[in-house]
Amino acid sequence: MKLIKLSHDSLKVIQCQKFSDTEPGSVVKDFNAFLNRVMEKPVPLSKGKRQPVQKWTTFLNEELVEPDRPELKRPLTIHYPSVLGLYLLIRASGLGRIIIAGTNKLHLVINDNIMAQWQNLTPVEQYFSLLDAWLTRGNSDIIGEELHGRDHRPLSCSGVNFLRQAAFNEEPISPIGLEALPISLGAYNVALLKLFGLAIIQWQSTHQLAHLQFTTLGVTLLNAFQKSVDLHGLALPAGCEDILYEDDGMLKVVKPWRKDVKQLLHPSDAQLHDSYIINASIFAYKCQRTLIVPVSASLEQLAIAVLSAFSFSTNHLHCFVYEDSYGDVYKIADPRLRPQHTDYTNDTNLKDLRPTPGAQIRFLYNLNEPWEFILDIMGGIDEKINAISITDRRGEPPIEY
């Protein structure tokens, strides 16, 4: 285990920093404004990039401490970098999950399990929880954006080279860097530097920087984390002993620095039940089947049960697609596709997905012209059953051929 050691001066900077919902930046206050809106009503997302739709983005932008002011007549979501940055945080923290709510309808909803943790955190704990999510899980892919470099997270993409040389410092970023950063780092990541109070930023126009200069806190924190984050590419390499890659790694790092940090967000360890109630739907045809599935059932058994419930054959290839709370996507393929994939339905059980109420699983059948079934985890029951059973049928299923 390698602890991150700070110099006396660096430690003093962090210990003397006041943390509130608006200090050192407004990230905590703005993030909670975002959360409050999601709790009030699911957020509609675009089908392509799966980002908040423009109308909702404009509405939330006006509630921020410092709203973005795009100069375009018809700005898109991407032209509100602060909102998009906050969206990255809600996905990377696990506090928001994406569900399919109907044909071509995607919504962002609250992850209740992690939300319960969030509400018990103090502002300083919320700050470092969000910083942890951003640096270690803030992959641009989970918000439909793309960065170049060996990794798509903020401190290991190619854009970081315009922020520092050997180390971060308080000198203003060069004009070349200012021109490149909105694209190479992502304007949303630039906005997050300001929201976290790590940098002083001025925009010249939409997606054009006029000034960027790190604060003393920004230099201290980013230099402390860059070796851990940057050199290892934010993915756990074989034999890595860095503390940040352990469970609650950020907490173990920050607790020696700040006595007021007792806990941070951590992955929810959902309790497994004996069986689960699953609603399987084909939204386009308004038909649904309710199944009770033993937690030990294989996904191959689940695939056969779903197809049978809708009077489909089992002649074609199938796969399951599961997205976890942090936006990581897993595909579990038909065993007839070996060895093209890593995980297969005949040796993966429902319990391996750690099912939680509110989670969804996509089931695709006939991969050339796929039928899409949406499996909603409704809840768990402590009742042991030997086989999958159907408890309810609603709507007429479509004809397979």
Side-chain angles (χ1 to χ4, degrees):
M1 178 185 300
K2 297 180 180 178
L3 293 171
I4 297 177
K5 297 182 179 179
L6 298 177
S7 67
H8 174 76
D9 290 342
S10 295
L11 185 59
K12 187 176 180 180
V13 168
I14 296 175
Q15 290 177 338
C16 293
Q17 175 65 53
K18 181 179 179 181
F19 288 90
S20 68
D21 60 351
T22 57
E23 295 177 279
S26 62
V27 66
V28 171
K29 185 177 180 65
D30 289 337
F31 186 78
N32 280 316
F34 196 124
L35 282 180
N36 290 337
R37 288 302 175 187
V38 183
M39 286 190 289
E40 287 179 5
K41 187 178 181 180
V43 178
L45 305 177
S46 62
K47 183 181 177 182
K49 290 189 173 184
R50 306 199 307 172
Q51 295 175 354
V53 297
Q54 188 272 343
K55 184 177 180 180
W56 189 92
T57 300
T58 304
F59 178 75
L60 179 69
N61 180 65
E62 293 304 316
E63 297 189 345
L64 302 184
V65 173
E66 293 188 36
D68 293 322
R69 299 300 181 196
E71 298 176 344
L72 303 176
K73 291 183 179 180
R74 295 182 179 179
L76 304 175
T77 298
I78 191 66
H79 299 126
Y80 295 92
S82 296
V83 176
L84 196 57
L86 293 168
Y87 178 53
L88 176 63
L89 294 183
I90 201 173
R91 297 288 285 128
S93 65
L95 280 160
R97 74 168 103 207
I98 294 175
I99 64 167
I100 300 172
T103 305
N104 296 327
K105 290 183 179 179
L106 297 174
H107 285 164
L108 176 72
V109 298
I110 289 293
N111 185 336
D112 292 329
N113 290 331
I114 300 183
M115 187 64 188
Q117 294 182 43
W118 176 260
Q119 292 173 330
N120 288 324
L121 299 180
T122 64
V124 64
E125 292 169 339
Q126 291 181 346
Y127 179 94
F128 280 104
S129 291
L130 294 178
L131 187 64
D132 181 25
W134 182 41
L135 296 182
T136 63
R137 291 189 298 272
N139 193 318
S140 63
D141 299 350
I142 64 177
I143 60 167
E145 295 299 318
E146 182 179 358
L147 296 178
H148 297 290
R150 66 178 180 279
D151 196 283
H152 294 172
R153 294 169 177 86
L155 289 188
S156 53
C157 67
S158 59
V160 76
N161 295 316
F162 294 101
L163 291 177
R164 54 100 171 98
Q165 297 299 321
F168 294 91
N169 59 60
E170 295 184 48
E171 294 295 319
I173 300 301
S174 69
I176 294 177
L178 294 176
E179 182 177 353
L181 281 169
I183 300 299
S184 61
L185 187 68
Y188 50 92
N189 281 323
V190 174
L192 285 174
L193 287 172
K194 181 177 181 179
L195 289 174
F196 276 106
L198 303 179
I200 300 168
I201 292 171
Q202 295 175 0
W203 292 95
Q204 179 174 314
S205 60
T206 304
H207 283 200
Q208 178 59 57
L209 281 168
H211 179 77
L212 192 156
Q213 186 173 4
F214 285 107
T215 62
T216 303
L217 178 67
V219 170
T220 302
L221 286 176
L222 293 176
N223 279 331
F225 291 132
Q226 74 158 337
K227 182 177 181 181
S228 191
V229 170
D230 188 30
L231 296 184
H232 293 312
L234 280 171
L236 180 60
C240 178
E241 298 178 348
D242 197 300
I243 191 172
L244 282 185
Y245 298 109
E246 297 182 359
D247 291 339
D248 295 323
M250 179 67 80
L251 178 61
K252 295 174 183 176
V253 169
V254 175
K255 281 183 74 173
W257 301 348
R258 299 276 310 197
K259 293 182 179 180
D260 53 354
V261 174
K262 307 295 184 184
Q263 59 182 338
L264 298 180
L265 284 182
H266 59 88
S268 178
D269 188 14
Q271 177 185 357
L272 287 177
H273 296 274
D274 294 328
S275 305
Y276 286 85
I277 301 172
I278 297 178
N279 282 346
S281 306
I282 306 179
F283 285 127
Y285 293 88
K286 298 181 180 180
C287 55
Q288 177 181 290
R289 302 292 183 264
T290 301
L291 300 86
I292 298 181
V293 184
V295 71
S296 59
S298 72
L299 294 191
E300 184 66 19
Q301 292 172 321
L302 180 57
I304 294 171
V306 170
L307 292 171
S308 175
F310 288 91
S311 301
F312 275 49
S313 71
T314 58
N315 297 332
H316 301 287
L317 298 173
H318 57 259
C319 75
F320 288 88
V321 180
Y322 175 67
E323 184 171 348
D324 70 11
S325 298
Y326 302 100
D328 293 323
V329 177
Y330 303 91
K331 181 177 288 187
I332 303 96
D334 191 310
R336 289 172 287 184
L337 288 171
R338 292 183 189 272
Q340 300 178 35
H341 297 271
T342 302
D343 300 308
Y344 298 93
T345 56
N346 62 335
D347 51 23
T348 303
N349 297 333
L350 180 60
K351 65 181 178 182
D352 296 325
L353 302 185
R354 310 298 298 181
T356 57
Q360 281 187 337
I361 307 170
R362 294 174 63 214
F363 174 55
L364 304 179
Y365 174 67
N366 188 358
L367 303 185
N368 291 324
E369 298 180 9
W371 290 93
E372 182 180 61
F373 301 81
I374 303 302
L375 310 186
D376 286 287
I377 309 296
M378 305 306 295
I381 56 175
D382 292 321
E383 177 182 340
K384 293 183 178 180
I385 58 176
N386 295 323
I388 301 173
S389 61
I390 302 172
T391 62
D392 188 39
R393 300 173 186 266
R394 298 184 182 182
E396 291 296 321
I399 298 174
E400 178 183 349
Y401 296 105

